[in-house]
């Protein structure tokens, strides 16, 4: 019996306590434990075109020859202020976080890092494989099973606390691989309607029965049965943990979440961050596989990025009080071909972009400036067949920076959280060099 | 054939000399030679063209010379399906089969106890992968015993029923459980592998009625529209009761308000919005729960009405009456509801496309003259977000194609078929293939809507826009339905047919951008995914270069629309595809070309008001002249009148300093006899080149105008200007005459045109009309027709005819020569698809997916290649890969499945104890098996709460091109569990919102439901193969015997209230709750 199931049995023994008392205890415990640092990660599924997201304007290779229908002219894009890169106009709503003098005249503490050319060696151009590699933090290594954020939580003892409450959650109908591990991390869409059917009487009877039916000893079970039982337990725990999170919610500071799946998920994320002691939240956004009609300054990619940027903006207002402890990070499985295809779209390629935002982020553009980009379209066409943007930074280097600088993890945990890190460091010192994004 | 010396015993001299008389033996063969009492053992040889990976060995264990018996032991690796021990007395010159028996293909040790007929016997074994066992003297267990490596773990015969129903079917239903226990598991497998002998779904009236309610739809605009959508209605707000006779045709509704449908609130697009219906606190408004509407319609000839359909969008419930008699209702029960009635449950989504109900049985209620459709609609709460009623009534709609109203209904079909079909394996496989070759309805719908908009030169109104959207939804759902039905019909056929159908299916052509993939501008999307997702598996023996080359092969693959009567059957539709487009002109002749005479009048003043009417006399005194088409002027010296084909020049039209008058318009008339084209696909039209705008009249009626005149008045005056400019070279505008209701076939027709400048000072003006007779190809169809269906088209003009090479340097290398022009170009991709079907990568990938689906999650392409998966699964996949090419045409699915299910020997890993109740269910497997376990039905076809979708498993609308995971374990998560348990609660309770139901009241009368113990025992046997632990049963019993009471302070206490002591209605309620809990057990996630 592992520690968590032991805890569960004791919780079951304690069931004779008045229901409300036990909830209060949980809520109390939740507010006094755990790492104060929080993370929201947003997976942009489908492979976002990084070249039109952070536009390498200073590269003469970025032109209407390679992108006749999807070229974004200089006057339609947002200037980054570094004399080389521009942003897609759809990103305008998050420029308040970027906060650069070239944009709004207020050269303050910019809290948005825009990182170009992120990927990994031997980039897979399969959606499934590449998403999997990112989420497990183990490119080209199918033998690692758990998700990268799960391993961080496990290595830092997040599941071993006396009353863990809600440690992490995926706000999606599917479970995130990045949060996958032996202890199930819950996933759900809305806190408000995540409960059993029926009136109080029926719900109570049913949930009591479920807790005891799934609460049997995990020893001598097959792995599948063990997963089923522990997922049932996680469901019972989650329903308890969500009690304080339920109820009406009005965002603060006039924050307005976009009326989209992403916007609604981010709103839920804010609720959880305010009302529970959750540490890591995963959110999905699909629709980036723009093989046709990607659009330029307007169109499909605009809609995708604008939705994201509106979400960032809303979070930055709504969670202003937690801003210094919060980090929001985006990822996508690959970028798209430098040259557009015959359908006004782009095909699967290699490196793409990430965004990091939060109180401890040193704002700015990374990997897309005069000095690091290289001359003569080296970056834009640097990979095979002159079709792909090659990576400059391995995403694991950025992840480790997050674990080390944001969560304060000891270096000794690095290999445990990101297996193969040391070897990658040896083989690819440039790719694994940290960018110094976090303060 | 290979021969290898295996072993020597006692160094007998004869052995090596003896060798293997391979030349004399027929192709398959053999193993060891053993010389009794002194010895040599020779080699084994396997039997088939592609031997299993590892070879068997044979050794002598002991001899009993007294009994003249040799005991030999063979070690059989995975993959062998029979063994024969043979004896020779003459140094291998001739052999006699002594003992034979079947093997399962699993690794095993075989022990022979063979009587030797002489003191100098040679023995060998023959073995191979053929399941036919050669004859021999003996095959009894005393002579031959086989111990499989994991023999102790084989499933017990008692559990076989549960197991085959869990895997081949969507779980056990009481009926099928009885059936399988009667005929046996192996016979059930045989039955399911040859489903033709089983009753078809359509023979089951329960299935068929529900199926028809799902797939039945009236295509918009077809048939005789009695009440069109968006028509005017009388309505009465449910703030009080309407007069009792409001439903009658004789009722006088003159005092009722009137408006157009859709009527309701919650959507700004409704023409009639009831602002006061929704109850609100701020501003204070009481609202009202119901609305009563009456729509009159006229029937001229009752005798011609044969079919009648009501298409109704509603939220949340309704009752409909025809001339005073109820004809349909949904989501509301009981006698005629009063005005204050609220529906018990939330209704449907208004975006669902509505419900279409065949009410042909009520035709007798109709009368010649005036009729009334009356509907009362009810909300589920007076403060909810939406209420709508939007009826239309259509007679004699087309029934030629199998249409489906919405994708939501199609999703329901997977449950209907999954629960009810006797051909369970076929239904399971249909889901599997649909998911394997996944496409996204949303993208298909989006594409079609775009096409329709593009083709509709001028959207007449918002209403057209809405119709367009509805038509595209209907057409996209129909495409997906046709594809799914093909996968169902061919689920147990050849993989090659499925792949070829998928590649040429309109939904795939649109979904993965084949329609965008043209010569010179290749789109790699489908080329990549046919390798990665349809056939080879990721990175399995193909390269980026192969993708680039294959993308070129697929150029020119696109879609068109066609009348269903002209639809070529599969595979002709793919192998010899249509190359013609939706509307293709076979011949075009000019009835009057340029240079022919028209009457014209300069727009210097307003012409007589009847100038465009037939019979109008064109007099010179009124300014009418005769001139030859085309008319206009061109002031640009580089672009002369002649270049523009202008014959009648109007130099005084342009206003200049020297010509201060000028004029802005020109009037044209022509009267001529035009042909009768009825009964043909021919069309009479006028092609007009113009600068800047025109309005066209046929026999006095406006039938078309240029976009540049869209915002002008109905009859612009002579000095009106077009609202934007249009150049002569910006395309020809075709005005169709013969499709107009004002056309007089075979008679005299009057054509009239008023053409306008954009500016009176403009540099040029032109109007060039040509009356044409178009003969379309015989399979042409109007692109906007609602009678057409989408199909595959190969467009040779878009095909890349350069040479291509795939799989260079492998034995599968394909060289496609350059210059395959015209229809020949189709062969490029067909050649590659042919090669893909027989390619080992395809055999591996599909075999592994099938093993995942039916046996175990424990093997993947990676672990197969690394040989790190369990041996038994490696062996099974090896066998499947062999079976893939064992048929004359590769990829025969029943042959692969027979290898997996192994009904004859029950020795494949499918039968191992570790597979029994060991694989987690996917969401659809969970839902269908829950319904089946209760003997329930999935016939509530109007419900939209589909449980797999709530767990993220949305069939037909997955965004990503890889299908949903077949690994049950991928679906184990908290949200999924909550949704499963809520569904189990809804189903157990027969809750109204559930799309499925079960006969709980009947069950309550059976002995199985009379006590908690009996109830639990019933389900333990039926679905859990008796595996429920005493603790679990005790907990279930406690639940069944406990009453929970909520105290005043909100705390909940439990007190015993024995199930058996309950009154019957309370007991039935407890029964339903307990059943919901049983279906929520940890064990029920397993199959």
């Amino acid at each position: 019996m592992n520690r968590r199931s032991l805890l569960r049995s004791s919780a079951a023994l304690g069931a004779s306590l008045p229901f409300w008392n036990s909830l209060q205890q949980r809520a109390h415990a939740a507010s006094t434990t755990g790492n104060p640092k929080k993370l929201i990660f947003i997976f942009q599924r489908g492979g976002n075109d990084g070249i039109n997201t952070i536009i390498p304007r200073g590269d003469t290779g970025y032109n209407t020859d390679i992108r006749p229908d999807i070229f974004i002219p200089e006057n339609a894009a947002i200037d980054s202020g570094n004399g080389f890169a521009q942003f897609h106009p759809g990103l305008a709503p998050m420029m308040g976080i970027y906060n650069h003098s070239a944009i709004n005249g207020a050269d303050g503490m910019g809290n948005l890092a825009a990182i170009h050319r992120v990927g990994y060696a031997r980039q897979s151009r399969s959606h499934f494989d590449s998403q999997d590699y990112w989420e497990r933090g183990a490119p080209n290594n199918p033998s690692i099973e758990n998700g990268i954020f799960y391993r961080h939580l496990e290595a830092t003892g997040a599941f071993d606390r006396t009353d863990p409450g809600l440690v992490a959650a995926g706000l999606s109908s599917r479970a995130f691989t990045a949060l996958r591990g032996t202890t199930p991390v819950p996933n759900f869409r809305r806190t408000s309607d995540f409960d059993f059917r029926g009136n109080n009487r029926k719900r109570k009877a049913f949930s009591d029965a479920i807790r005891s039916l799934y609460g049997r000893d995990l020893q001598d079970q097959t792995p599948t049965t063990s997963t089923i039982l522990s997922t049932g337990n996680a469901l019972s725990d989650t329903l308890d943990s969500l009690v304080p999170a339920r109820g009406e919610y009005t965002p603060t500071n006039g924050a307005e979440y976009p009326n989209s799946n992403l916007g609604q998920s981010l709103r839920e994320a804010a609720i959880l961050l305010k009302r529970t002691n959750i540490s890591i939240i995963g959110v999905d956004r699909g629709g980036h596989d723009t093989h046709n009609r990607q659009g330029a300054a307007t169109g499909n990619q605009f809609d995708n990025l604008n939705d994201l940027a509106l979400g960032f903006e809303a979070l930055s207002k709504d969670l202003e009080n937690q801003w210094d402890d919060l980090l929001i990070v985006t990822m996508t499985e690959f970028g798209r071909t430098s040259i557009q295809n015959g359908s006004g779209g782009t095909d699967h390629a290699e490196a793409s972009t990430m965004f990091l935002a939060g109180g401890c982020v040193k704002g700015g553009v990374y990997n897309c400036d005069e000095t690091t980009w290289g001359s003569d379209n080296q970056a834009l066409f640097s990979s095979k067949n002159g079709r792909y943007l090659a990576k400059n930074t391995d995403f694991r280097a950025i992840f480790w920076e997050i674990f080390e600088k944001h969560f304060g993890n000891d270096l000794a945990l690095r290999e445990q959280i990101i297996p193969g890190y040391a070897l990658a460091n040896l083989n690819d010192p440039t790719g694994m060099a940290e960018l110094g994004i976090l303060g | 054939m290979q021969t290898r010396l295996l072993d020597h015993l006692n160094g007998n001299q004869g052995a090596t000399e003896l060798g293997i008389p391979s030349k004399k033996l027929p192709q398959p063969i053999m193993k060891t030679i053993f010389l009794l009492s002194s010895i040599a053992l020779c080699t084994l040889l396997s039997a088939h063209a592609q031997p299993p990976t590892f070879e068997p060995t044979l050794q002598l264990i002991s001899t009993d010379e007294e009994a003249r018996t040799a005991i030999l032991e063979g070690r059989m690796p995975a993959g062998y399906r029979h063994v024969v021990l043979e004896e020779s007395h003459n140094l291998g010159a001739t052999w006699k089969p002594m003992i034979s028996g079947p093997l399962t293909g699993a690794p095993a040790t075989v022990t022979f106890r063979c009587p030797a007929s002489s003191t100098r016997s040679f023995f060998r074994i023959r073995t191979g992968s053929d399941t036919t066992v050669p004859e021999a003297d003996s095959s009894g267990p005393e002579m031959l015993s086989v111990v499989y490596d994991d023999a102790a773990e084989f499933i017990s015969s008692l559990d076989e029923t549960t197991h085959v129903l869990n895997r081949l079917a969507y779980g056990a239903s009481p009926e099928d459980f009885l059936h399988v226990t009667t005929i046996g598991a192996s016979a059930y497998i045989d039955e399911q592998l040859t489903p033709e002998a089983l009753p078809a779904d359509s023979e089951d009236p329960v299935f068929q009625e529900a199926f028809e309610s799902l797939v039945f739809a009236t295509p918009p605009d077809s048939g005789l529209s009695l009440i069109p959508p968006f028509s005017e209605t009388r309505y009465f707000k449910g703030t009080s009761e309407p007069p009792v006779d409001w439903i009658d045709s004789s009722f006088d509704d003159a005092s009722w308000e009137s408006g157009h449908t859709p009527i309701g609130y919650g959507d700004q697009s409704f023409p009639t919005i009831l602002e006061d219906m929704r109850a609100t606190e701020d501003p204070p408004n009481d609202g009202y729960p119901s609305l009563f509407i009456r729509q009159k319609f006229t029937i001229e000839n009752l005798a011609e009405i044969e079919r009648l359909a009501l298409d109704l969008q509603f939220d949340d419930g309704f009752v409909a009456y025809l001339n005073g008699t109820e004809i349909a209702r949904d989501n509301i029960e009981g006698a005629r509801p009063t005005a204050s009635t609220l529906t018990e449950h939330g209704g449907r989504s208004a975006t669902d496309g509505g419900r279409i109900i065949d009410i042909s049985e009520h035709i007798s209620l109709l009368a010649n003259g005036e009729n009334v459709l009356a509907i009362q609609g009810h909300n589920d709460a007076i403060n909810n977000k939406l209420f709508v009623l939007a009826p239309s009534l259509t007679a004699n709609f087309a029934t030629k194609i199998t249409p489906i109203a919405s994708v939501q209904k199609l999703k329901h079909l997977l449950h209907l078929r999954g629960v009810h079909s006797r051909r369970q394996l076929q239904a399971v496989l249909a889901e599997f293939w649909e998911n394997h070759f996944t496409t996204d309805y949303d993208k298909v719908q989006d594409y079609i809507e775009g096409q329709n908009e593009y083709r509709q030169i001028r959207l007449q109104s918002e209403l057209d826009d809405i119709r367009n959207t509805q038509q595209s939804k209907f057409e996209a759902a129909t495409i997906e339905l046709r594809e799914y039905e093909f996968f169902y019909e061919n689920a147990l056929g050849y993989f090659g047919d499925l792949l070829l159908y998928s590649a040429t299916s309109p939904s795939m052509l649109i979904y993965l951008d084949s329609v965008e993939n043209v010569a010179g501008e290749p789109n790699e999307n489908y080329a990549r995914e046919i390798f990665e997702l349809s056939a080879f598996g990721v990175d399995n023996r193909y390269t980026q270069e192969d993708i680039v080359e294959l993308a070129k092969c697929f150029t020119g693959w696109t879609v068109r629309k066609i009348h269903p009567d002209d639809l070529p059957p599969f595979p002709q539709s793919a192998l010899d595809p249509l190359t013609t487009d939706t509307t293709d002109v076979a011949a075009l002749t000019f009835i009057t070309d340029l240079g022919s005479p028209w009457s014209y009048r300069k727009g210097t003043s307003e012409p007589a008001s009847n100038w465009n009417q037939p019979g109008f006399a064109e007099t010179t005194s009124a300014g009418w002249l005769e001139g030859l088409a085309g008319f206009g002027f061109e002031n640009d010296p580089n672009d002369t009148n002649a270049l523009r084909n202008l014959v009648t020049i109007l130099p005084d039209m342009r206003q200049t300093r020297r010509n201060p008058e000028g004029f802005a318009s020109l009037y044209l008339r022509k009267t001529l006899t035009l042909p009768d084209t009825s009964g043909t696909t021919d069309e009479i039209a006028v092609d007009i080149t113009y600068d800047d705008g025109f309005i066209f009249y046929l026999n006095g009626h406006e039938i078309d105008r240029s976009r540049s005149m869209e915002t002008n008045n109905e009859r612009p005056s002579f000095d009106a200007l077009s609202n934007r400019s249009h150049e002569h070279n910006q395309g020809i505008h075709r005005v169709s005459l013969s499709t107009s209701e004002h056309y007089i076939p075979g008679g005299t027709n009057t054509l009239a045109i008023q053409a306008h400048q954009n500016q009176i000072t403009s540099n040029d003006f032109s109007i060039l009309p040509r009356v044409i007779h178009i003969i379309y190809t015989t399979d042409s169809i109007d692109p906007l027709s609602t009678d057409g269906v989408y199909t595959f088209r190969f467009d040779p003009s878009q095909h890349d005819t350069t040479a291509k090479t795939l799989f260079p340097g492998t034995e599968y290398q394909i060289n496609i020569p350059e210059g395959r022009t015209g229809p020949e170009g189709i062969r490029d991709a067909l050649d590659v698809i042919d090669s893909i079907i027989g390619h080992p990568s395809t055999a591996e990938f599909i075999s592994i997916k099938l093993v995942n689906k039916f046996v175990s999650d424990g093997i993947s392409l990676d672990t197969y290649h690394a040989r790190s998966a369990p041996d038994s699964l490696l062996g099974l996949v090896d066998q499947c890969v062999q079976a893939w090419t064992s048929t004359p045409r590769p990829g025969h699915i029943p042959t692969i499945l027979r290898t997996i299910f192994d009904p004859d020997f029950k020795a494949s890993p499918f039968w191992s104890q570790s597979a029994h109740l060991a694989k987690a269910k996917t969401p659809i497997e969970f839902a269908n098996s829950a319904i089946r376990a209760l003997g329930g039905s999935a016939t509530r076809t109007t419900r939209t709460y589909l449980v797999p979708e709530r767990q993220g498993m949305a069939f037909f609308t997955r965004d990503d091109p890889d299908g949903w995971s077949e690994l049950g374990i991928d679906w184990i998560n908290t949200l999924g569990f909550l949704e499963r348990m809520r569904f189990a609660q809804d189903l157990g309770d027969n809750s109204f919102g559930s799309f499925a139901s079960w006969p709980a009241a009947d069950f309550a009368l059976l002995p199985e439901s009379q006590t908690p113990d009996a109830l639990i025992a019933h389900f333990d046997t039926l679905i859990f193969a008796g595996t429920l632990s005493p603790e679990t049963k005790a907990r279930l019993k406690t639940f069944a015997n406990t009453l929970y009471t909520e105290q005043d302070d909100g705390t909940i206490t439990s007190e015993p209230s024995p199930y058996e002591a309950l009154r019957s209605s309370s007991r039935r309620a407890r029964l339903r709750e307990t059943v919901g809990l049983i279906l929520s057990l940890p064990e029920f996630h397993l199959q």
Side-chain angles (χ1 to χ4, degrees), chain A residues 38-40 273 319 322-328 357-359 406:
Chain A
K38 315 293 179 193
L39 178 92
I40 300 173
L273 286 168
L319 295 173
Q322 301 190 25
W323 190 245
D324 287 345
D325 285 335
L326 179 66
L327 185 64
I328 313 166
H406 181 63

Side-chain angles (χ1 to χ4, degrees), chain A residues 125-129 142 172-175 180 185-189 193-197 200-202 204-206 208-210 212-214 216 224-225 227-229 231-232 234-235 238-239 289 291-293 341-343 347-348 384-385 387-388, chain B residues 443 447 513 516 521-525 528-529 532 538-539 544-545 862 918 920 945 950-952 958 961-962 964 969-975 977-978 981-982 985-986 989 1032 1035-1036 1039 1044-1046 1052 1073 1076-1077 1080-1083 1085-1086:
Chain A
R125 288 184 289 281
S126 151
H127 292 295
F128 179 81
D129 280 356
S172 169
S173 52
R174 307 255 355 247
R180 187 175 68 197
V185 169
N187 62 313
F188 49 87
R189 297 291 296 273
D193 61 2
F194 195 68
D195 207 346
F196 293 121
R197 292 268 193 254
N200 284 352
R201 178 193 74 76
K202 281 191 180 181
K204 167 77 171 138
F206 197 82
D208 282 356
I210 291 296
S212 63
L213 286 165
Y214 283 77
R216 70 183 76 144
T224 303
T225 311
T227 304
I228 287 171
L229 293 173
T231 302
L235 174 61
T238 304
L239 292 175
D289 197 14
H291 282 284
N292 66 43
R293 282 180 281 281
N341 64 20
S343 320
D347 297 325
H348 304 182
K384 203 162 70 173
N385 304 341
R387 291 162 49 89
Y388 311 129
Chain B
K443 184 162 174 178
Y447 173 85
D513 298 323
E516 312 254 356
E521 297 182 330
N523 182 309
E524 293 170 10
N525 203 1
R528 171 184 304 282
E529 306 302 14
E532 177 177 331
V538 62
D539 295 335
Q544 176 65 30
E545 285 70 31
D862 284 337
Y945 188 93
R950 302 278 301 192
Q951 296 172 53
R958 178 173 166 81
D962 53 331
W964 301 113
I969 200 73
D970 286 347
W971 296 98
I972 302 302
N973 59 63
T974 52
L975 176 136
F977 270 25
L978 185 79
M981 292 172 192
R982 292 211 282 209
Q985 287 184 293
D986 281 346
D989 202 27
T1032 296
R1035 187 64 186 81
L1036 289 172
F1039 183 85
Y1044 278 73
T1045 312
E1046 194 167 345
I1052 292 167
E1073 284 179 48
L1077 184 62
S1080 302
L1081 282 174
E1083 288 82 354
H1085 299 291
L1086 293 168

Side-chain angles (χ1 to χ4, degrees), chain B residues 584-593 682-687 732 734 770-777:
Chain B
D584 244 3
V585 175
L588 189 150
T589 57
F590 293 98
I591 297 173
T592 69
D593 201 349
D682 293 9
E683 184 180 7
I684 307 301
V686 183
D687 272 357
I732 297 173
R734 178 165 292 171
R770 291 185 287 187
V771 184
I772 56 172
H773 184 156
I774 313 160
I775 300 169
Y776 292 108
T777 49

Side-chain angles (χ1 to χ4, degrees), chain A residues 90-279:
Chain A
L91 295 173
M94 66 202 274
M95 286 302 133
I97 311 174
Y98 187 74
N99 198 27
H100 194 286
S101 60
I103 295 159
N104 58 11
D107 200 2
M109 286 294 289
N111 279 156
L112 178 74
I115 314 161
H116 218 318
R117 290 191 285 157
V118 186
Y120 52 88
R122 287 167 57 215
Q123 172 80 42
S124 165
R125 288 184 289 281
S126 151
H127 292 295
F128 179 81
D129 280 356
S130 197
Q131 289 180 18
D132 198 45
Y133 293 161
W134 273 81
E135 293 201 58
R136 289 188 292 102
N140 295 300
N141 183 355
S143 69
I144 306 292
E145 283 193 357
N146 293 344
I148 187 166
F149 292 121
Y150 181 86
R151 286 196 305 269
H152 154 76
L153 292 167
E154 189 181 45
T156 54
F159 299 117
D160 298 332
R161 298 197 300 254
T162 46
D163 189 344
L166 204 55
V167 173
L171 298 179
S172 169
S173 52
R174 307 255 355 247
F176 280 93
T177 303
L179 294 171
R180 187 175 68 197
T182 330
T183 304
V185 169
N187 62 313
F188 49 87
R189 297 291 296 273
R190 305 251 179 287
T191 52
S192 54
D193 61 2
F194 195 68
D195 207 346
F196 293 121
R197 292 268 193 254
N199 55 24
N200 284 352
R201 178 193 74 76
K202 281 191 180 181
R203 275 210 308 274
K204 167 77 171 138
F206 197 82
S207 67
D208 282 356
I210 291 296
R211 191 176 270 288
S212 63
L213 286 165
Y214 283 77
R216 70 183 76 144
D217 197 331
L218 295 180
Q219 267 184 350
D220 301 327
Q221 304 287 358
T222 67
T224 303
T225 311
S226 174
T227 304
I228 287 171
L229 293 173
S230 55
T231 302
N233 284 322
L235 174 61
S236 296
D237 290 346
T238 304
L239 292 175
D240 288 351
S241 304
L242 286 181
V243 170
R246 295 190 205 280
E248 293 284 309
Y249 179 71
T250 310
T252 43
N253 283 331
E256 284 184 33
Y257 291 92
N259 187 22
S260 61
N261 284 337
L262 175 74
Q264 294 313 300
S265 295
L266 294 178
R267 187 176 178 277
E268 293 294 321
I271 294 173
L272 292 174
L273 286 168
K274 288 184 184 180
R275 296 179 177 173
T276 76
N277 193 35
I278 195 163
S279 176

Side-chain angles (χ1 to χ4, degrees), chain B residues 672-719:
Chain B
L672 71 175
T673 303
L674 292 174
D676 182 357
T677 57
S678 48
T680 70
T681 56
D682 293 9
E683 184 180 7
I684 307 301
V686 183
D687 272 357
I688 300 176
T689 311
Y690 65 100
D691 176 343
D692 292 287
F694 71 88
I695 298 174
F696 194 99
Y697 305 88
L698 173 63
N699 297 322
H701 302 273
E702 178 183 332
I703 60 167
D704 208 351
R705 65 167 71 190
S706 64
R707 286 200 94 134
S708 56
M709 298 292 287
E710 225 167 24
T711 57
N712 288 78
N713 296 337
E714 189 180 337
R715 287 279 293 274
S717 61
F718 72 100
D719 54 357

